[in-house]
Amino acid sequence: PEVEQRRIVVIGAGPSGAIAAALLKRNGHDVLVLERQRFPRFSIGESLLSHCLDFVEEAGMLEAVQAAGFQTKHGAAFAWGERTSEFDFRDKFTAGKGSTYQVVRADFDKLLADQAELQGVEIRYEEEIVATDFSGACPCLTVRRLADGQVYRVECAFVLDGSGYGRVLPRLLDLEQPSNFPVRRALFTHVEDRIAPTSGFDREKILITTHPELRDVWFWTIPFSNGRSSLGVVADATRYAGHDADLDACLKRFVADTPSLSRVLEHARWDTPVREIHGYSANVKRLHGPGFALLGNAAEFLDPVFSSGVTIAMRSASMAAGLLHRQLGGETVDWETEFAVPLKRGVDAFRAYVEGWYDGSFQDVIYHENAAPEIRRMICSILAGYAWDERNPYVAEPKRRLRVLAELCAQPA
Ligand code: FAD
Protein backbone atom coordinates (compact mmCIF):
# COMPACT_ATOMS: atom_id res chain seq x y z
CA PRO A 1 0.00 0.00 0.00
CA GLU A 2 1.00 3.59 -0.61
CA VAL A 3 2.87 5.46 2.09
CA GLU A 4 1.47 8.94 2.85
CA GLN A 5 4.09 11.72 2.64
CA ARG A 6 3.94 14.56 5.15
CA ARG A 7 6.40 17.15 6.43
CA ILE A 8 5.87 17.00 10.20
CA VAL A 9 3.85 14.54 12.27
CA VAL A 10 2.85 15.41 15.83
CA ILE A 11 1.73 12.56 18.06
CA GLY A 12 -1.09 13.65 20.40
CA ALA A 13 -3.36 16.72 20.38
CA GLY A 14 -2.93 17.65 24.07
CA PRO A 15 -1.46 21.04 25.04
CA SER A 16 2.08 20.23 23.86
CA GLY A 17 0.92 18.80 20.53
CA ALA A 18 -1.62 21.54 19.78
CA ILE A 19 0.80 24.38 20.56
CA ALA A 20 3.70 22.85 18.61
CA ALA A 21 1.49 22.10 15.61
CA ALA A 22 0.02 25.62 15.50
CA LEU A 23 3.43 27.28 15.81
CA LEU A 24 4.83 25.24 12.94
CA LYS A 25 1.77 25.86 10.79
CA ARG A 26 2.08 29.59 11.47
CA ASN A 27 5.57 29.33 10.01
CA GLY A 28 4.19 27.76 6.87
CA HIS A 29 4.94 24.08 7.49
CA ASP A 30 2.71 21.14 6.70
CA VAL A 31 1.69 19.48 10.01
CA LEU A 32 -0.39 16.36 10.64
CA VAL A 33 -1.52 15.63 14.21
CA LEU A 34 -2.54 12.07 15.07
CA GLU A 35 -4.61 11.72 18.25
CA ARG A 36 -5.73 8.42 19.73
CA GLN A 37 -8.83 9.71 21.48
CA ARG A 38 -11.91 11.67 20.43
CA PHE A 39 -12.06 15.16 21.95
CA PRO A 40 -13.32 16.39 24.37
CA ARG A 41 -11.63 13.82 26.62
CA PHE A 42 -10.75 13.87 30.31
CA SER A 43 -7.26 14.86 31.42
CA ILE A 44 -5.82 15.58 34.84
CA GLY A 45 -3.86 18.83 35.31
CA GLU A 46 -6.37 21.64 35.72
CA SER A 47 -4.49 24.49 37.36
CA LEU A 48 -2.37 26.48 34.94
CA LEU A 49 0.64 28.72 35.66
CA SER A 50 0.91 32.23 34.23
CA HIS A 51 3.93 31.42 32.07
CA CYS A 52 1.99 28.89 29.98
CA LEU A 53 -0.18 31.72 28.63
CA ASP A 54 2.95 33.17 26.97
CA PHE A 55 2.93 30.12 24.68
CA VAL A 56 -0.83 30.22 24.19
CA GLU A 57 -0.32 33.81 23.05
CA GLU A 58 2.62 32.92 20.80
CA ALA A 59 0.38 30.33 19.13
CA GLY A 60 -2.31 32.95 18.51
CA MET A 61 -4.84 31.37 20.88
CA LEU A 62 -4.91 33.78 23.80
CA GLU A 63 -8.06 35.64 22.82
CA ALA A 64 -9.98 32.41 22.41
CA VAL A 65 -8.81 31.19 25.83
CA GLN A 66 -9.71 34.52 27.43
CA ALA A 67 -13.19 34.39 25.90
CA ALA A 68 -13.93 30.84 27.04
CA GLY A 69 -15.10 31.70 30.57
CA PHE A 70 -12.51 29.71 32.51
CA GLN A 71 -11.91 30.49 36.19
CA THR A 72 -9.33 33.28 36.55
CA LYS A 73 -6.36 32.34 38.72
CA HIS A 74 -4.02 34.87 40.33
CA GLY A 75 -1.90 32.65 42.51
CA ALA A 76 -1.52 29.86 45.03
CA ALA A 77 -2.64 29.57 48.65
CA PHE A 78 -1.10 27.07 51.06
CA ALA A 79 -2.60 25.82 54.33
CA TRP A 80 -1.17 23.62 57.06
CA GLY A 81 -3.13 23.42 60.29
CA GLU A 82 -3.89 27.02 61.17
CA ARG A 83 -0.97 28.33 59.11
CA THR A 84 -1.65 29.85 55.72
CA SER A 85 0.55 31.41 53.07
CA GLU A 86 -0.48 33.12 49.85
CA PHE A 87 1.39 33.99 46.68
CA ASP A 88 -0.10 36.42 44.18
CA PHE A 89 1.38 35.95 40.69
CA ARG A 90 0.80 39.66 39.96
CA ASP A 91 3.46 40.51 42.55
CA LYS A 92 6.58 38.64 41.51
CA PHE A 93 10.24 39.15 40.65
CA THR A 94 10.08 38.21 36.96
CA ALA A 95 8.17 40.44 34.58
CA GLY A 96 5.50 38.49 32.77
CA LYS A 97 1.94 37.42 33.09
CA GLY A 98 0.35 37.65 36.53
CA SER A 99 -2.87 35.82 35.91
CA THR A 100 -3.93 32.55 34.39
CA TYR A 101 -6.80 30.06 34.55
CA GLN A 102 -8.13 26.99 36.26
CA VAL A 103 -9.64 24.84 33.55
CA VAL A 104 -11.65 21.72 32.97
CA ARG A 105 -9.05 20.11 30.76
CA ALA A 106 -11.56 18.38 28.48
CA ASP A 107 -12.76 21.86 27.43
CA PHE A 108 -9.35 23.58 27.47
CA ASP A 109 -7.59 20.91 25.42
CA LYS A 110 -10.44 20.81 22.89
CA LEU A 111 -10.29 24.59 22.55
CA LEU A 112 -6.54 24.53 21.84
CA ALA A 113 -6.90 21.69 19.33
CA ASP A 114 -9.79 23.46 17.58
CA GLN A 115 -7.74 26.64 17.44
CA ALA A 116 -4.87 24.74 15.83
CA GLU A 117 -7.33 23.33 13.27
CA LEU A 118 -8.68 26.81 12.55
CA GLN A 119 -5.11 27.82 11.73
CA GLY A 120 -4.91 25.04 9.16
CA VAL A 121 -3.42 22.15 11.13
CA GLU A 122 -4.87 18.78 10.16
CA ILE A 123 -5.86 16.68 13.19
CA ARG A 124 -7.02 13.09 12.83
CA TYR A 125 -8.81 11.83 15.92
CA GLU A 126 -9.13 8.22 16.98
CA GLU A 127 -5.98 7.32 15.12
CA GLU A 128 -3.18 5.72 17.08
CA ILE A 129 0.53 5.37 16.44
CA VAL A 130 1.32 1.70 16.85
CA ALA A 131 4.84 1.39 15.41
CA THR A 132 7.72 3.53 14.19
CA ASP A 133 10.71 3.00 11.96
CA PHE A 134 13.60 5.42 12.24
CA SER A 135 16.09 3.23 10.34
CA GLY A 136 15.45 4.69 6.86
CA ALA A 137 16.22 8.05 5.29
CA CYS A 138 13.21 9.56 7.07
CA PRO A 139 10.94 8.49 9.92
CA CYS A 140 7.99 6.22 9.08
CA LEU A 141 5.02 5.78 11.41
CA THR A 142 2.41 3.04 11.41
CA VAL A 143 -1.05 4.36 12.27
CA ARG A 144 -4.17 2.40 13.22
CA ARG A 145 -7.61 3.90 12.69
CA LEU A 146 -9.68 2.92 15.70
CA ALA A 147 -13.01 3.10 13.83
CA ASP A 148 -12.24 0.23 11.44
CA GLY A 149 -8.88 -1.15 12.60
CA GLN A 150 -7.31 -0.15 9.25
CA VAL A 151 -3.56 0.40 9.34
CA TYR A 152 -1.62 2.82 7.14
CA ARG A 153 1.84 4.39 7.07
CA VAL A 154 3.09 7.99 7.03
CA GLU A 155 6.58 9.13 6.14
CA CYS A 156 7.75 12.56 7.24
CA ALA A 157 10.82 14.71 7.83
CA PHE A 158 10.36 14.97 11.60
CA VAL A 159 8.20 13.60 14.42
CA LEU A 160 7.28 15.54 17.55
CA ASP A 161 5.98 13.26 20.28
CA GLY A 162 3.35 15.02 22.41
CA SER A 163 1.68 11.78 23.51
CA GLY A 164 1.83 12.54 27.24
CA TYR A 165 1.34 9.51 29.47
CA GLY A 166 1.08 7.44 26.25
CA ARG A 167 4.87 7.95 25.96
CA VAL A 168 4.83 6.62 22.41
CA LEU A 169 8.43 7.17 21.28
CA PRO A 170 10.00 6.50 24.70
CA ARG A 171 8.28 3.09 24.65
CA LEU A 172 8.89 2.25 21.00
CA LEU A 173 12.49 3.51 20.91
CA ASP A 174 13.47 2.16 24.32
CA LEU A 175 14.16 5.59 25.79
CA GLU A 176 12.35 5.11 29.08
CA GLN A 177 14.20 5.73 32.28
CA PRO A 178 12.66 5.46 35.75
CA SER A 179 12.12 8.65 37.71
CA ASN A 180 14.08 8.93 40.93
CA PHE A 181 10.99 10.08 42.84
CA PRO A 182 9.24 7.47 45.00
CA VAL A 183 6.01 6.04 43.57
CA ARG A 184 3.21 8.37 44.60
CA ARG A 185 -0.47 7.97 44.04
CA ALA A 186 -3.20 10.56 43.59
CA LEU A 187 -6.92 10.11 44.28
CA PHE A 188 -9.12 12.80 42.79
CA THR A 189 -12.64 13.83 41.93
CA HIS A 190 -14.78 16.81 40.98
CA VAL A 191 -17.32 18.09 43.51
CA GLU A 192 -20.09 20.66 43.49
CA ASP A 193 -18.21 22.69 46.07
CA ARG A 194 -20.97 25.00 47.39
CA ILE A 195 -18.31 27.19 49.01
CA ALA A 196 -20.13 30.30 50.23
CA PRO A 197 -18.90 33.55 48.64
CA THR A 198 -18.91 34.97 52.18
CA SER A 199 -16.52 32.29 53.52
CA GLY A 200 -13.43 34.26 52.55
CA PHE A 201 -12.27 31.40 50.30
CA ASP A 202 -10.46 32.77 47.24
CA ARG A 203 -11.61 30.99 44.07
CA GLU A 204 -8.87 32.79 42.15
CA LYS A 205 -6.12 30.69 43.73
CA ILE A 206 -5.32 27.02 43.82
CA LEU A 207 -5.42 25.83 47.43
CA ILE A 208 -2.67 23.41 48.43
CA THR A 209 -3.31 21.91 51.87
CA THR A 210 -0.68 19.98 53.81
CA HIS A 211 -2.02 17.06 55.87
CA PRO A 212 -1.81 18.04 59.57
CA GLU A 213 0.49 15.17 60.62
CA LEU A 214 1.87 13.64 57.43
CA ARG A 215 3.81 16.46 55.80
CA ASP A 216 4.46 14.53 52.59
CA VAL A 217 0.70 14.15 52.06
CA TRP A 218 -1.07 17.09 50.43
CA PHE A 219 -4.33 18.04 48.73
CA TRP A 220 -5.24 20.23 45.79
CA THR A 221 -8.48 22.21 45.63
CA ILE A 222 -8.91 23.82 42.22
CA PRO A 223 -12.12 25.84 41.88
CA PHE A 224 -13.67 26.14 38.42
CA SER A 225 -15.93 28.92 37.18
CA ASN A 226 -19.06 26.73 37.29
CA GLY A 227 -19.36 26.23 41.05
CA ARG A 228 -17.42 23.00 40.97
CA SER A 229 -13.91 22.18 42.17
CA SER A 230 -11.31 19.58 41.42
CA LEU A 231 -10.12 17.92 44.61
CA GLY A 232 -7.26 15.48 44.99
CA VAL A 233 -4.87 13.98 47.50
CA VAL A 234 -1.29 12.92 46.78
CA ALA A 235 0.62 10.53 48.99
CA ASP A 236 3.34 7.93 48.84
CA ALA A 237 1.72 4.70 47.59
CA THR A 238 2.47 3.03 50.95
CA ARG A 239 0.23 5.53 52.80
CA TYR A 240 -2.89 3.94 51.29
CA ALA A 241 -2.16 0.46 52.63
CA GLY A 242 -5.30 -1.08 54.08
CA HIS A 243 -7.51 1.87 53.16
CA ASP A 244 -7.73 1.75 49.41
CA ALA A 245 -10.48 -0.77 48.68
CA ASP A 246 -13.05 2.02 48.42
CA LEU A 247 -11.48 5.07 46.74
CA ASP A 248 -14.36 7.42 47.70
CA ALA A 249 -14.07 6.47 51.35
CA CYS A 250 -10.30 6.74 51.19
CA LEU A 251 -10.28 10.31 49.83
CA LYS A 252 -13.02 11.33 52.27
CA ARG A 253 -11.02 9.90 55.16
CA PHE A 254 -7.92 11.91 54.20
CA VAL A 255 -10.07 15.06 53.98
CA ALA A 256 -11.77 14.30 57.32
CA ASP A 257 -8.32 14.04 58.93
CA THR A 258 -7.57 17.60 57.74
CA PRO A 259 -9.79 20.11 59.57
CA SER A 260 -8.96 23.23 57.54
CA LEU A 261 -9.87 21.46 54.30
CA SER A 262 -12.96 19.84 55.83
CA ARG A 263 -14.17 23.33 56.65
CA VAL A 264 -13.69 24.51 53.05
CA LEU A 265 -15.61 21.49 51.76
CA GLU A 266 -18.22 21.25 54.53
CA HIS A 267 -21.17 21.82 52.16
CA ALA A 268 -19.69 20.08 49.14
CA ARG A 269 -21.78 17.58 47.20
CA TRP A 270 -19.66 14.59 46.24
CA ASP A 271 -21.31 13.54 42.99
CA THR A 272 -18.47 12.04 40.94
CA PRO A 273 -16.71 8.70 41.56
CA VAL A 274 -13.15 9.11 42.82
CA ARG A 275 -10.46 8.09 40.35
CA GLU A 276 -6.79 7.41 40.80
CA ILE A 277 -3.50 7.77 39.00
CA HIS A 278 -0.21 6.43 40.29
CA GLY A 279 3.38 6.00 39.25
CA TYR A 280 3.03 9.04 36.99
CA SER A 281 6.55 10.44 37.51
CA ALA A 282 8.66 9.40 34.54
CA ASN A 283 11.86 10.23 32.74
CA VAL A 284 13.71 9.44 29.52
CA LYS A 285 17.31 8.77 28.48
CA ARG A 286 17.27 11.56 25.92
CA LEU A 287 14.86 14.20 24.65
CA HIS A 288 15.69 13.97 20.94
CA GLY A 289 17.31 11.87 18.25
CA PRO A 290 17.62 11.90 14.46
CA GLY A 291 14.17 12.82 13.18
CA PHE A 292 12.39 13.26 16.48
CA ALA A 293 12.02 15.27 19.68
CA LEU A 294 9.93 14.59 22.78
CA LEU A 295 7.51 17.18 24.18
CA GLY A 296 5.82 17.61 27.54
CA ASN A 297 4.90 14.54 29.51
CA ALA A 298 6.08 12.20 26.78
CA ALA A 299 9.57 13.23 27.93
CA GLU A 300 9.40 13.76 31.67
CA PHE A 301 6.82 14.30 34.35
CA LEU A 302 8.05 15.49 37.72
CA ASP A 303 5.21 15.84 40.17
CA PRO A 304 1.87 17.63 40.36
CA VAL A 305 2.54 19.78 43.45
CA PHE A 306 3.39 23.07 41.73
CA SER A 307 1.12 22.58 38.68
CA SER A 308 4.10 22.84 36.35
CA GLY A 309 3.07 20.10 33.89
CA VAL A 310 1.20 22.08 31.22
CA THR A 311 3.73 24.94 31.41
CA ILE A 312 6.68 22.60 30.82
CA ALA A 313 4.70 20.87 28.05
CA MET A 314 4.03 24.17 26.26
CA ARG A 315 7.53 25.51 26.80
CA SER A 316 9.02 22.36 25.25
CA ALA A 317 6.56 22.68 22.36
CA SER A 318 7.54 26.28 21.69
CA MET A 319 11.26 25.55 21.84
CA ALA A 320 11.00 22.48 19.60
CA ALA A 321 8.79 24.26 17.05
CA GLY A 322 11.30 27.13 16.78
CA LEU A 323 14.25 24.81 16.31
CA LEU A 324 12.44 22.61 13.82
CA HIS A 325 11.47 25.66 11.78
CA ARG A 326 15.16 26.61 11.55
CA GLN A 327 16.23 23.06 10.76
CA LEU A 328 13.66 22.65 7.96
CA GLY A 329 14.90 25.98 6.61
CA GLY A 330 18.33 24.45 6.15
CA GLU A 331 20.11 25.55 9.32
CA THR A 332 22.08 23.15 11.48
CA VAL A 333 20.46 22.75 14.87
CA ASP A 334 22.09 21.23 17.92
CA TRP A 335 19.11 19.70 19.74
CA GLU A 336 21.18 18.91 22.81
CA THR A 337 22.53 22.39 23.53
CA GLU A 338 19.58 24.31 22.09
CA PHE A 339 16.68 22.15 23.32
CA ALA A 340 17.50 19.51 25.94
CA VAL A 341 19.95 21.49 28.06
CA PRO A 342 18.03 24.77 28.32
CA LEU A 343 14.67 23.00 28.79
CA LYS A 344 16.07 20.85 31.57
CA ARG A 345 17.48 23.86 33.37
CA GLY A 346 14.01 25.10 34.26
CA VAL A 347 12.70 21.59 34.89
CA ASP A 348 15.58 21.05 37.32
CA ALA A 349 14.71 24.29 39.12
CA PHE A 350 11.16 22.98 39.63
CA ARG A 351 12.66 19.65 40.68
CA ALA A 352 14.68 21.25 43.50
CA TYR A 353 11.51 22.78 44.95
CA VAL A 354 9.50 19.58 44.50
CA GLU A 355 12.17 17.66 46.42
CA GLY A 356 12.16 20.40 49.05
CA TRP A 357 8.38 20.18 49.30
CA TYR A 358 8.47 16.48 50.15
CA ASP A 359 11.47 16.65 52.52
CA GLY A 360 9.77 19.58 54.28
CA SER A 361 12.46 22.21 53.67
CA PHE A 362 10.47 24.17 51.05
CA GLN A 363 7.34 23.86 53.19
CA ASP A 364 9.30 25.50 56.04
CA VAL A 365 9.99 28.37 53.65
CA ILE A 366 6.40 28.63 52.39
CA TYR A 367 4.84 28.53 55.85
CA HIS A 368 7.44 30.82 57.45
CA GLU A 369 5.67 33.81 58.91
CA ASN A 370 8.28 36.51 58.45
CA ALA A 371 9.85 35.74 55.09
CA ALA A 372 11.47 38.74 53.37
CA PRO A 373 9.10 40.18 50.72
CA GLU A 374 11.82 40.27 48.04
CA ILE A 375 12.56 36.58 48.54
CA ARG A 376 8.86 35.74 48.45
CA ARG A 377 8.61 37.60 45.12
CA MET A 378 11.44 35.44 43.72
CA ILE A 379 9.74 32.26 44.95
CA CYS A 380 6.46 33.57 43.53
CA SER A 381 8.02 33.83 40.06
CA ILE A 382 8.83 30.14 40.14
CA LEU A 383 5.34 29.27 41.38
CA ALA A 384 3.98 31.32 38.43
CA GLY A 385 6.04 29.15 36.07
CA TYR A 386 8.94 31.51 35.32
CA ALA A 387 11.52 28.85 36.20
CA TRP A 388 13.78 29.71 33.27
CA ASP A 389 14.57 33.27 34.34
CA GLU A 390 18.22 32.94 35.33
CA ARG A 391 18.23 36.48 36.75
CA ASN A 392 16.21 35.05 39.60
CA PRO A 393 18.79 33.68 42.07
CA TYR A 394 16.27 31.02 43.16
CA VAL A 395 16.24 29.79 39.55
CA ALA A 396 19.97 30.14 38.92
CA GLU A 397 21.02 28.22 42.04
CA PRO A 398 17.88 26.49 43.31
CA LYS A 399 19.41 23.85 45.55
CA ARG A 400 21.91 26.06 47.34
CA ARG A 401 19.50 28.96 47.74
CA LEU A 402 16.75 26.70 49.04
CA ARG A 403 19.11 25.05 51.53
CA VAL A 404 20.26 28.39 52.95
CA LEU A 405 16.73 29.77 53.11
CA ALA A 406 15.31 26.60 54.67
CA GLU A 407 17.92 26.76 57.43
CA LEU A 408 16.82 30.31 58.21
CA CYS A 409 13.15 29.35 58.18
CA ALA A 410 13.38 25.93 59.87
CA GLN A 411 10.51 25.49 62.27
CA PRO A 412 11.15 23.94 65.67
CA ALA A 413 9.93 20.34 65.63
P1 FAD B 1 -1.41 15.12 27.39
O1 FAD B 1 -2.21 16.26 27.84
O2 FAD B 1 -1.46 13.86 28.19
O3 FAD B 1 -1.83 14.79 25.89
C1 FAD B 1 -1.31 13.65 25.21
C2 FAD B 1 -2.27 13.21 24.12
O4 FAD B 1 -1.63 12.17 23.35
C3 FAD B 1 -3.55 12.61 24.66
O5 FAD B 1 -4.68 13.29 24.15
C4 FAD B 1 -3.49 11.15 24.22
O6 FAD B 1 -4.77 10.61 23.88
C5 FAD B 1 -2.58 11.20 23.00
N1 FAD B 1 -1.91 9.92 22.75
C6 FAD B 1 -1.37 9.06 23.66
N2 FAD B 1 -0.88 7.97 23.05
C7 FAD B 1 -1.11 8.13 21.72
C8 FAD B 1 -0.85 7.30 20.56
N3 FAD B 1 -0.27 6.09 20.66
N4 FAD B 1 -1.21 7.78 19.35
C9 FAD B 1 -1.82 9.00 19.22
N5 FAD B 1 -2.11 9.79 20.29
C10 FAD B 1 -1.76 9.36 21.52
N6 FAD B 1 -0.28 20.03 35.18
C11 FAD B 1 -0.59 21.33 35.34
O7 FAD B 1 -0.14 22.16 34.55
N7 FAD B 1 -1.41 21.74 36.36
C12 FAD B 1 -1.91 20.86 37.28
O8 FAD B 1 -2.65 21.27 38.19
C13 FAD B 1 -1.55 19.49 37.17
N8 FAD B 1 -2.03 18.57 38.05
C14 FAD B 1 -1.68 17.25 37.89
C15 FAD B 1 -2.11 16.31 38.83
C16 FAD B 1 -1.74 14.96 38.73
C17 FAD B 1 -2.17 13.97 39.77
C18 FAD B 1 -0.92 14.57 37.64
C19 FAD B 1 -0.49 13.15 37.50
C20 FAD B 1 -0.51 15.50 36.69
C21 FAD B 1 -0.87 16.83 36.81
N9 FAD B 1 -0.44 17.79 35.87
C22 FAD B 1 -0.74 19.10 36.06
C23 FAD B 1 0.35 17.42 34.70
C24 FAD B 1 -0.47 17.44 33.39
O9 FAD B 1 -1.48 16.46 33.46
C25 FAD B 1 0.44 17.13 32.20
O10 FAD B 1 1.71 17.66 32.39
C26 FAD B 1 -0.07 17.67 30.87
O11 FAD B 1 -1.34 17.14 30.59
C27 FAD B 1 0.92 17.30 29.77
O12 FAD B 1 0.45 17.69 28.49
P2 FAD B 1 0.91 16.89 27.21
O13 FAD B 1 0.44 17.67 26.04
O14 FAD B 1 2.35 16.56 27.31
O15 FAD B 1 0.15 15.48 27.28
Side-chain angles (χ1 to χ4, degrees):
E2 224 171 272
V3 178
E4 185 175 344
Q5 303 291 328
R6 301 300 290 248
R7 194 74 165 145
I8 300 157
V9 172
V10 177
I11 310 175
S16 61
I19 295 286
L23 291 173
L24 285 158
K25 186 72 199 177
R26 289 167 83 81
N27 271 320
H29 301 285
D30 166 58
V31 193
L32 171 64
V33 179
L34 297 165
E35 165 57 55
R36 181 170 60 183
Q37 299 185 66
R38 173 182 289 280
F39 277 26
R41 55 96 179 91
F42 176 85
S43 172
I44 194 79
E46 298 145 328
S47 191
L48 305 179
L49 304 184
S50 318
H51 187 32
C52 87
L53 293 189
D54 292 321
F55 309 111
V56 171
E57 187 170 34
E58 186 189 2
M61 304 179 184
L62 187 58
E63 278 181 21
V65 168
Q66 284 168 337
F70 295 122
Q71 171 66 52
T72 308
K73 170 183 172 184
H74 296 308
F78 295 85
W80 179 33
E82 294 311 310
R83 289 176 221 214
T84 57
S85 179
E86 297 194 349
F87 291 84
D88 190 319
F89 295 166
R90 292 165 295 189
D91 181 21
K92 62 182 182 316
F93 172 84
T94 305
K97 294 193 164 37
S99 299
T100 183
Y101 297 101
Q102 294 169 161
V103 300
V104 174
R105 282 284 302 277
D107 302 335
F108 180 72
D109 290 13
K110 175 152 176 31
L111 187 147
L112 298 186
D114 288 351
Q115 286 290 311
E117 267 185 329
L118 279 174
Q119 297 184 29
V121 170
E122 183 185 355
I123 305 182
R124 294 184 192 155
Y125 291 98
E126 298 186 286
E127 301 208 0
E128 175 183 38
I129 307 293
V130 291
T132 58
D133 180 0
F134 282 81
S135 63
C138 43
C140 185
L141 305 177
T142 307
V143 186
R144 194 165 66 94
R145 283 208 299 256
L146 299 186
D148 56 9
Q150 286 286 328
V151 168
Y152 68 97
R153 289 189 301 151
V154 188
E155 240 176 37
C156 61
F158 207 91
V159 181
L160 291 174
D161 184 1
S163 63
Y165 304 108
R167 298 173 65 75
V168 170
L169 292 189
R171 276 189 295 110
L172 296 175
L173 301 179
D174 191 23
L175 302 173
E176 289 192 290
Q177 181 164 292
S179 155
N180 47 15
F181 284 134
V183 177
R184 297 201 171 92
R185 185 173 169 199
L187 303 189
F188 56 91
T189 188
H190 286 179
V191 297
E192 185 188 328
D193 60 61
R194 305 208 294 172
I195 300 169
T198 51
S199 67
F201 180 81
D202 183 358
R203 296 192 81 84
E204 297 189 328
K205 289 191 175 75
I206 183 175
L207 170 65
I208 302 287
T209 307
T210 303
H211 188 283
E213 285 102 40
L214 311 171
R215 281 188 86 189
D216 61 324
V217 178
W218 62 275
F219 304 83
W220 75 73
T221 310
I222 302 173
F224 300 127
S225 56
N226 60 359
R228 300 179 64 77
S229 284
S230 172
L231 167 70
V233 64
V234 175
D236 193 287
T238 57
R239 295 259 188 232
Y240 296 90
H243 298 284
D244 62 350
D246 176 346
L247 298 183
D248 284 85
C250 189
L251 177 56
K252 282 181 180 157
R253 189 184 63 90
F254 273 112
V255 172
D257 287 345
T258 309
S260 72
L261 184 58
S262 299
R263 282 198 297 275
V264 169
L265 296 173
E266 62 184 335
H267 303 300
R269 193 171 284 148
W270 296 62
D271 56 7
T272 307
V274 171
R275 301 166 68 167
E276 69 163 315
I277 178 166
H278 62 272
Y280 38 72
S281 296
N283 210 338
V284 283
K285 293 174 194 158
R286 44 198 174 90
L287 290 179
H288 59 90
F292 74 89
L294 308 179
L295 309 177
N297 270 24
E300 176 168 10
F301 180 65
L302 283 178
D303 187 90
V305 68
F306 301 125
S307 310
S308 56
V310 170
T311 298
I312 295 171
M314 289 189 179
R315 175 131 191 152
S316 67
S318 165
M319 291 172 73
L323 290 174
L324 187 50
H325 172 58
R326 282 175 41 206
Q327 180 166 309
L328 294 174
E331 279 184 52
T332 303
V333 166
D334 183 339
W335 285 85
E336 188 58 24
T337 60
E338 297 182 74
F339 178 66
V341 170
L343 180 66
K344 277 187 190 159
R345 225 176 270 139
V347 174
D348 285 342
F350 278 123
R351 188 190 323 277
Y353 296 96
V354 168
E355 285 170 354
W357 175 266
Y358 287 102
D359 71 24
S361 59
F362 190 41
Q363 293 194 40
D364 288 343
V365 171
I366 285 177
Y367 292 118
H368 189 65
E369 275 155 12
N370 302 314
E374 190 52 24
I375 293 180
R376 281 183 67 88
R377 293 177 73 241
M378 291 173 179
I379 303 281
C380 189
S381 287
I382 297 166
L383 296 177
Y386 290 92
W388 288 266
D389 176 10
E390 301 270 341
R391 286 163 305 175
N392 181 348
Y394 287 83
V395 168
E397 293 185 293
K399 283 196 167 179
R400 194 185 70 79
R401 289 279 178 170
L402 176 57
R403 196 174 57 239
V404 172
L405 193 56
E407 280 166 14
L408 287 171
C409 297
Q411 305 285 339

